[in-house]
Amino acid sequence: MKMMSLWALGAVAMGGLGIASAPGCTTDVLVGVKDDAGGPATEGGHTDDGGTPTPPGDTAPGDTTKGDGASSTCASTEGIVLATSPTGTSAAFPTPGFLGIAVDAASVYWSYAPWSTPSSSGGTGPGAIMKVSKGGGAPVSLATTHDGVFFFVVAGGHVYWEDDGFLKMEATSGGTPQSLNYDHIGTGTLVADGTDLYSFGYWGDVDSISIQSEPLGSGTLTNVMDKGALPLWPAEIMNLAVDADDVYWVGWLGLGSTGIPPVTQQGLWYVPKAGGTAQLLAAYEIQDPSVVGGLNVQPHVVADATGVYWNSPTGLMRMPSVGAAPKTLVPGTFPSFGNSIYGLAVDGTSLYWLGAGIQRVPIGGGATTTLVHEDAVAFAVDDAFVYWINECGQIKKIAK
């Protein structure tokens, strides 16, 4: 039986956040992503159970249990409110859901879709991708979506997303969405680097999962990862990030007899953009050995010219170059730490993360700073501000 998880199906909230940033920043949205101008890489979104989508919400301000379906008071006065998102709720889909966020030079973008049943995997109803000026104003609907869009990318003046099995594209100025290709349902995360879009899904035969690239706007797929001698099925590719030369992801290759992958096959992987065989950069336990399909760590990764960054069960990590020794920037306690990080971003000088609020640490290590204390669903950064969407659908920003 084919076993591509909900992560691979793009059904995870968080991850998939839309991503794009001003020059100098990179954001990995849960889901992981990098902007199209070499800017901040931002990741946003959240999942609270390692793959089953659940509606956002928290029981009280400061509650870090994302997606529990209860409402937040959203009473915080932190930051500047740029807009408040519509919800699209109805009798069939009564619970608001705010999914991803991204920025470019002029605007903030986000996605939403209402949920059918609080705190369940009942699914989402029709949603939309929205935008608002960075200075604030009336929200503008760019595209309606068949389901909730957890992953989208803003690159080269266009928004790219996956919906109902298609990879779609629309100009950031508005217009008619175009369908670029079909059968993108397995790609989950989308990443752009200025010229190409990267995703993952089935390649060749349905027993292989691979990394794919395509020139922006083309819809023509090229296989990046060589299957070689690696056991690519069953496999898990969760979050993607790119820098100038390589593609990175979190996941594993191969499963043990119990359905749990060997620890030696779990962790941070990479493959050159030019193509090659997948290589494990840092091994760490992602899959909970006591639960098939359970995760010990929310799988996030982001990269820029200063290195590749990820969250392990015991800390936030940095590797300045491929093959260099990993450095722990923020230590944590196994396994709770790794499972309480919901998004990453890097801007060349600091690493940002979404957990109990939005925090940052210098990329060389040092003291951490909490920038936002209220509950956030997803966030992005540019050169001057941190942007986020909270549990009430407020799009906000605060100076770094």
Side-chain angles (χ1 to χ4, degrees):
M1 183 176 108
K2 302 303 178 271
M3 294 173 58
M4 181 173 280
S5 79
L6 290 177
W7 282 96
L9 291 173
V12 161
M14 162 100 166
L17 301 185
I19 293 178
S21 302
C25 307
T26 301
T27 301
D28 151 39
V29 237
L30 196 177
V31 160
V33 190
K34 189 174 190 285
D35 74 278
D36 61 309
T42 302
E43 169 196 81
H46 65 263
T47 53
D48 61 354
D49 58 6
T52 301
T54 51
D58 284 288
T59 56
D63 177 8
T64 58
T65 304
K66 307 298 181 185
D68 57 20
S71 63
S72 167
T73 60
C74 295
S76 172
T77 58
E78 292 179 300
I80 299 169
V81 178
L82 303 179
T84 298
S85 178
T87 65
T89 54
S90 64
F93 299 96
T95 304
F98 309 107
L99 308 177
I101 193 167
V103 297
D104 65 10
S107 301
V108 184
Y109 304 79
W110 71 96
S111 58
Y112 76 85
W115 293 82
S116 59
T117 306
S119 299
S120 78
S121 57
T124 63
I129 297 174
M130 309 286 297
K131 77 170 185 177
V132 69
S133 167
K134 283 184 171 179
V140 175
S141 178
L142 287 176
T144 57
T145 60
H146 180 265
D147 295 304
V149 171
F150 298 98
F151 303 87
F152 66 91
V153 174
V154 181
H158 290 82
V159 181
Y160 296 85
W161 72 96
E162 298 165 334
D163 189 27
D164 204 22
F166 286 89
L167 175 66
K168 297 188 176 183
M169 174 184 80
E170 183 178 335
T172 55
S173 57
T176 302
Q178 302 176 47
S179 295
L180 297 179
N181 49 46
Y182 182 66
D183 202 21
H184 255 259
I185 192 168
T187 59
T189 301
L190 297 173
V191 187
D193 66 0
T195 59
D196 295 290
L197 191 70
Y198 295 83
S199 58
F200 62 84
Y202 297 113
W203 182 263
D205 61 75
V206 295
D207 286 340
S208 294
I209 301 175
S210 190
I211 308 294
Q212 305 161 351
S213 69
E214 55 193 287
L216 291 173
S218 75
T220 302
L221 293 169
T222 298
N223 187 37
V224 173
M225 186 168 67
D226 180 11
K227 182 172 181 177
L230 295 171
L232 286 188
W233 186 264
E236 186 71 270
I237 299 174
M238 297 182 182
N239 244 329
L240 293 180
V242 294
D243 61 16
D245 302 309
D246 302 303
V247 184
Y248 306 90
W249 70 94
V250 176
W252 55 79
L253 298 178
L255 294 179
S257 59
T258 63
I260 303 296
V263 175
T264 54
Q265 292 289 301
Q266 301 182 47
L268 176 69
W269 296 76
Y270 92 104
V271 68
K273 284 181 175 178
T277 301
Q279 302 290 327
L280 184 65
L281 281 177
Y284 61 93
E285 189 175 76
I286 304 170
Q287 180 87 333
D288 185 339
S290 65
V291 181
V292 175
L295 298 182
N296 272 330
V297 57
Q298 300 291 346
H300 308 299
V301 60
V302 67
D304 69 0
T306 66
V308 57
Y309 303 80
W310 70 99
N311 60 302
S312 78
T314 56
L316 292 172
M317 310 297 294
R318 177 195 179 200
M319 184 179 289
S321 60
V322 169
K327 177 179 179 179
T328 301
L329 297 182
V330 180
T333 301
F334 177 86
S336 59
F337 177 83
N339 218 4
S340 61
I341 303 297
Y342 302 96
L344 298 176
V346 62
D347 65 2
T349 60
S350 297
L351 177 67
Y352 301 77
W353 70 97
L354 171 58
I358 300 171
Q359 302 176 69
R360 74 178 176 204
V361 65
I363 60 173
T368 64
T369 302
T370 299
L371 298 171
V372 176
H373 295 81
E374 75 169 343
D375 292 329
V377 174
F379 81 110
V381 300
D382 65 12
D383 290 340
F385 291 91
V386 175
Y387 303 83
W388 73 98
I389 183 168
N390 66 19
E391 303 283 2
C392 293
Q394 294 174 322
I395 313 302
K396 304 177 79 172
K397 73 176 182 179
I398 195 169
K400 289 180 175 177

